[in-house]
Amino acid sequence: MKFTVFYDGNCPLCAAEMTLLANYDHHSRLCLEDIHARDFSQRYPNIDLQAADQILHGQTPDGTLVYGLDVTATAWGLVGKKPWLKVLRWPLVRWFADKAYLFFAKHRMGFAFFLTGRRCINNDVCLNSAEASQRRTTPPHCAKNMDEDADF
């Protein structure tokens, strides 16, 4: 089974990170799901789109939901990169790191504009969910019949 990451595909920084993760995912341990995909709500009715747009969501193979930096640290750990992210999960560091992440997540489009010159993927115009759903489909690497096991 795979660890599923539910991300904001309208965010240039989020999309870039997912592209990097996909490139490093040589053992197919991740399923990267854009929350703005056309059929997202039908495939993942348990995921609150508004909440997923505010904080990164992930789901373990047993169905457990994880959030924020726990998702980031898990995903990068599964592809064998950025081992330093584990530090952000240490008890004394976690509180501060989580507060910083929540600030970043809330203002990610502003950070994206500062770093990339783009606020959104679509010509600097954010797509609303209806427009986005017309354009995006299920990634082929996230098929529902996933039999391989990942180490968590």
Side-chain angles (χ1 to χ4, degrees), residues 18-70:
M18 295 306 120
T19 298
L20 283 174
L21 279 167
N23 288 338
Y24 288 124
D25 189 17
H26 304 299
H27 299 290
S28 299
R29 294 182 171 167
L30 301 175
C31 176
L32 307 173
E33 291 283 356
D34 180 351
I35 63 171
H36 300 292
R38 179 181 344 157
D39 58 349
F40 182 84
S41 292
Q42 289 79 29
R43 291 182 299 114
Y44 296 100
N46 62 315
I47 303 298
D48 179 329
L49 282 174
Q50 185 176 8
D53 195 43
Q54 293 174 351
I55 184 171
L56 188 63
H57 282 46
Q59 187 171 18
T60 63
D62 70 3
T64 303
L65 292 174
V66 294
Y67 307 96
L69 290 175
D70 288 328

Side-chain angles (χ1 to χ4, degrees), residues 1-141:
M1 298 292 285
K2 297 183 182 190
F3 180 71
T4 304
V5 178
F6 305 106
Y7 70 97
D8 176 3
N10 286 343
C11 171
L13 297 177
C14 306
E17 183 172 14
M18 295 306 120
T19 298
L20 283 174
L21 279 167
N23 288 338
Y24 288 124
D25 189 17
H26 304 299
H27 299 290
S28 299
R29 294 182 171 167
L30 301 175
C31 176
L32 307 173
E33 291 283 356
D34 180 351
I35 63 171
H36 300 292
R38 179 181 344 157
D39 58 349
F40 182 84
S41 292
Q42 289 79 29
R43 291 182 299 114
Y44 296 100
N46 62 315
I47 303 298
D48 179 329
L49 282 174
Q50 185 176 8
D53 195 43
Q54 293 174 351
I55 184 171
L56 188 63
H57 282 46
Q59 187 171 18
T60 63
D62 70 3
T64 303
L65 292 174
V66 294
Y67 307 96
L69 290 175
D70 288 328
V71 177
T72 302
T74 299
W76 283 105
L78 286 169
V79 299
K81 300 290 181 183
K82 300 187 181 187
W84 59 267
L85 286 171
K86 291 178 187 175
V87 171
L88 300 178
R89 305 294 73 208
W90 290 355
L92 292 177
V93 177
R94 176 188 278 277
W95 187 88
F96 294 100
D98 286 347
K99 295 295 181 194
Y101 168 78
L102 290 173
F103 178 82
F104 168 81
K106 183 176 182 177
H107 301 287
R108 68 186 178 276
M109 295 305 188
F111 284 111
F113 183 73
F114 178 74
L115 294 170
T116 69
R118 297 171 64 196
R119 288 188 195 282
C120 295
I121 294 296
N122 187 27
N123 297 324
D124 203 32
V125 177
C126 288
L127 297 173
N128 66 35
S129 294
E131 291 170 332
S133 68
Q134 305 265 325
R135 300 179 32 159
R136 299 189 184 130
T137 58
T138 305
H141 61 279

